[in-house]
Amino acid sequence: MSNQAKFDSLRKTFESFCYENFHYSVENGDFFAEFDFILTNSHAGTAEIDFHPCFRIPARPFYHWESIPKPLLDNIVFHIGMIELVSYWKIACPKNVIIKPFSLDEEQVRWWKKLYFNGLGEFFYVNGIKTTIDEFMAITSTPSFRPERSGVEKSPTNKDTLLHERTLIPVGGGKDSVVTLELLKNRIPAIPLIINPRGATNECVAAAGFTDEQTAIIKRTLDPTMLKMNAEGYLNGHTPFSAMLAFYTILLGFATKSMYIALSNESSANEPTVPDTEINHQYSKSVAFENDFRHYVAKYIDADIQYFSFLRPLNELQIAKLFSRAKQYRKVFKSCNAGSKTDSWCGKCPKCLFTWLALSPFIARKELNDIFGKDLLSDNNLRPILDQLDGSVEVKPFECVGTVGEVRACVNDILQHDDNLKDTIFEGVAKTDDMTVFDYVSQFDEGNNLPPLFKNILKEGLNG
């Protein structure tokens, strides 16, 4: 059975997905929350399937849970459930989605449908599923209860008690968040944030000078029933993780009284993965999502907290150049998804090859080989991946990688400066007339949401 046929069949079998409720508590300084989702079978007498994903935030001295007004906290946790549900909805893709805890107005329904549809663009494409934003889902909600936008009537006095001049910095263990940490940590009070810590995230934070007690941690747990259904052959695929992170950062922003949330998404994330479409593996890292999210949060949650990507004005090569200056991270950072469970570079995937290429103008080949544990250029099994990255084939890899132009600039740089390319993935590759590495590192994209202070810090960093 094709995935399209499976999609159509499952939508007939399962008539609705319900966001039933959410619960949270604070005990001994730990914050715990759980969500109740129900997948309803269309056949009478058939048991419903329920899911209960949850998360826990271990106690830290900088949390102020008691200072968040309950209506605001209810609203934020509810919204985390709204983004968590998409991972469970995609199992059977029922057409009807019912939201019970709060009601959504028409603008909110359109906003969520846009996020779900674009955030699942890769899921639909890879699975060969044909649908439209109008057809894939209908969202209805309980009409009787709506939360206040900010949970409080904020005067200048109590506004000051909610948020301070502090920055929350999500850390993923790769080069991008390292650059943000390095540039901001000594300029403005900062708190690193990690979801489900692993070796690379912990070591990068430690290399930046932060202890465990100075780091915000979220321990997110997937429902085992979903994992079991994935293994049984239900629909599965990519979901917008960065959008999920965005809503979690709003919660942690208020808990830590941090006015600023500084992501590390670059301008390169705006390029579609599939040319001439809206399908982008990095949709929820794009400036389009960032703008939509900022508008939504200001209108429906709180207008004072500031979510933005600190690295949005930069491209991947500028970030690689800045990263190359921070030598203490070279042995601890990891960007490879395939090797994340073993905290290693797999040396076989698009993410490994792209990271190698992006760093190659700024770090010597021998040291790159030490970082990755092998000479990626000598692995001819990577040649098809190079063809995907440099645009020789139409579709880029579904990974967080740079633009085709950036890759070509790195390839040209290697062809120009490396005299030992025999028996490598570059043998037979010709230089192109694309922009050079120098052209890229001289850019500054003004399509960003940086507050003036952060823009000045970034420009000083580029010139440093």
Side-chain angles (χ1 to χ4, degrees):
M1 178 186 293
S2 70
N3 282 329
Q4 179 70 54
K6 185 184 292 186
F7 173 80
D8 294 334
S9 176
L10 286 170
R11 284 163 72 83
K12 292 177 181 177
T13 302
F14 296 96
E15 65 180 13
S16 66
F17 185 95
C18 180
Y19 180 178
E20 189 74 20
N21 210 344
F22 63 89
H23 322 270
Y24 65 83
S25 61
V26 181
E27 297 181 10
N28 299 320
D30 287 10
F31 185 95
F32 177 82
E34 184 178 65
F35 305 97
D36 302 330
F37 301 145
I38 298 175
L39 185 60
T40 302
N41 198 304
S42 304
H43 302 293
T46 304
E48 297 173 326
I49 301 172
D50 59 325
F51 307 99
H52 302 283
C54 61
F55 68 89
R56 184 171 67 87
I57 302 173
R60 292 291 187 268
F62 45 65
Y63 289 137
H64 303 274
W65 298 111
E66 74 290 343
S67 73
I68 308 175
K70 187 178 184 302
L72 175 58
L73 189 52
D74 286 351
N75 194 14
I76 297 172
V77 177
F78 161 72
H79 277 93
I80 293 175
M82 286 295 297
I83 190 60
E84 286 282 7
L85 78 80
V86 71
S87 295
Y88 298 85
W89 174 87
K90 78 176 191 307
I91 290 172
C93 302
K95 183 164 185 178
N96 298 305
V97 174
I98 303 165
I99 309 300
K100 287 189 175 180
F102 290 156
S103 67
L104 305 174
D105 65 26
E106 291 183 5
E107 181 180 346
Q108 286 177 288
V109 169
R110 289 194 299 272
W111 192 93
W112 281 104
K113 286 186 69 174
K114 179 182 179 182
L115 171 56
Y116 292 155
F117 188 76
N118 289 339
L120 290 170
E122 175 181 339
F123 166 78
F124 292 132
Y125 180 86
V126 171
N127 282 296
I129 295 170
K130 304 293 185 184
T131 187
T132 67
I133 194 168
D134 294 323
E135 296 173 346
F136 86 110
M137 177 190 291
I139 299 176
T140 57
S141 62
T142 303
S144 59
F145 181 62
R146 291 185 56 78
E148 296 179 26
R149 171 176 144 273
S150 64
V152 287
E153 192 67 37
K154 291 198 289 188
S155 67
T157 301
N158 62 30
K159 184 184 294 185
D160 290 343
T161 65
L162 287 181
L163 298 172
H164 296 164
E165 293 279 334
R166 186 179 294 116
T167 304
L168 194 68
I169 304 175
V171 177
K175 67 184 188 313
D176 299 355
S177 55
V178 161
V179 170
T180 298
L181 272 176
E182 276 298 295
L183 292 180
L184 292 181
K185 67 181 184 181
N186 295 322
R187 299 294 300 273
I188 188 169
I191 297 175
L193 164 64
I194 302 173
I195 292 186
N196 291 351
R198 59 188 179 94
T201 53
N202 295 339
E203 292 181 37
C204 284
V205 164
F210 294 90
T211 66
D212 287 347
E213 286 298 295
Q214 294 172 317
T215 303
I217 301 294
I218 299 173
K219 296 186 176 181
R220 176 174 171 257
T221 303
L222 300 174
D223 187 288
T225 301
M226 180 190 73
L227 301 176
K228 179 174 178 288
M229 293 177 75
N230 287 343
E232 290 173 351
Y234 283 78
L235 290 169
N236 196 11
H238 178 77
T239 56
F241 179 86
S242 299
M244 181 204 70
L245 171 63
F247 281 100
Y248 274 106
T249 64
I250 299 300
L251 174 63
L252 270 295
F254 278 101
T256 59
K257 296 190 175 184
S258 300
M259 182 178 295
Y260 304 113
I261 299 167
L263 278 291
S264 302
N265 304 322
E266 70 290 334
S267 63
S268 311
N270 300 329
E271 181 178 81
T273 303
V274 180
D276 302 319
T277 75
E278 298 295 324
I279 299 169
N280 185 357
H281 173 78
Q282 303 194 81
Y283 168 71
S284 54
K285 289 186 175 183
S286 69
V287 73
F289 169 76
E290 181 179 320
N291 290 338
D292 285 352
F293 183 74
R294 286 168 55 87
H295 171 79
Y296 186 94
V297 169
K299 184 169 183 177
Y300 294 105
I301 300 177
D302 185 271
D304 294 323
I305 198 161
Q306 297 297 307
Y307 171 99
F308 58 90
S309 176
F310 179 62
L311 302 184
R312 182 69 66 195
L314 309 187
N315 56 61
E316 285 278 12
L317 302 191
Q318 289 170 303
I319 295 169
K321 182 178 180 180
L322 289 170
F323 174 82
S324 69
R325 299 173 184 170
K327 295 185 179 181
Q328 71 270 31
Y329 297 96
R330 292 186 183 183
K331 290 294 187 181
V332 298
F333 88 109
K334 303 288 188 307
S335 300
C336 173
N337 295 321
S340 60
K341 291 183 179 180
T342 56
D343 200 43
S344 63
W345 297 98
C346 76
K348 302 175 183 178
C349 72
K351 195 64 180 287
C352 284
L353 182 56
F354 172 74
T355 306
W356 199 105
L357 290 170
L359 292 172
S360 64
F362 316 107
I363 299 178
R365 181 173 172 181
K366 181 181 183 303
E367 186 166 357
L368 286 175
N369 295 345
D370 291 339
I371 291 171
F372 288 87
K374 62 183 284 189
D375 183 1
L376 270 65
L377 301 195
S378 297
D379 185 352
N380 284 306
N381 291 321
L382 293 174
R383 178 59 184 268
I385 295 177
L386 177 63
D387 290 342
Q388 293 175 326
L389 291 171
D390 72 6
S392 296
V393 296
E394 186 177 11
V395 179
K396 288 168 53 179
F398 283 100
E399 289 270 12
C400 293
V401 295
T403 67
V404 167
E406 291 163 358
V407 171
R408 289 177 177 174
C410 292
V411 170
N412 285 341
D413 188 74
I414 291 170
L415 293 174
Q416 181 177 346
H417 296 105
D418 197 323
D419 296 326
N420 185 25
L421 295 176
K422 186 179 180 181
D423 297 324
T424 73
I425 60 174
F426 291 104
E427 188 167 4
V429 174
K431 287 185 65 175
T432 64
D433 293 328
D434 291 87
M435 291 169 54
T436 66
V437 169
F438 177 80
D439 293 328
Y440 277 102
V441 298
S442 304
Q443 295 179 343
F444 194 89
D445 190 337
E446 294 294 344
N448 62 75
N449 295 301
L450 271 67
L453 168 64
F454 291 84
K455 187 175 289 189
N456 290 338
I457 293 172
L458 187 58
K459 288 184 175 180
E460 288 171 13
L462 286 173
N463 297 326

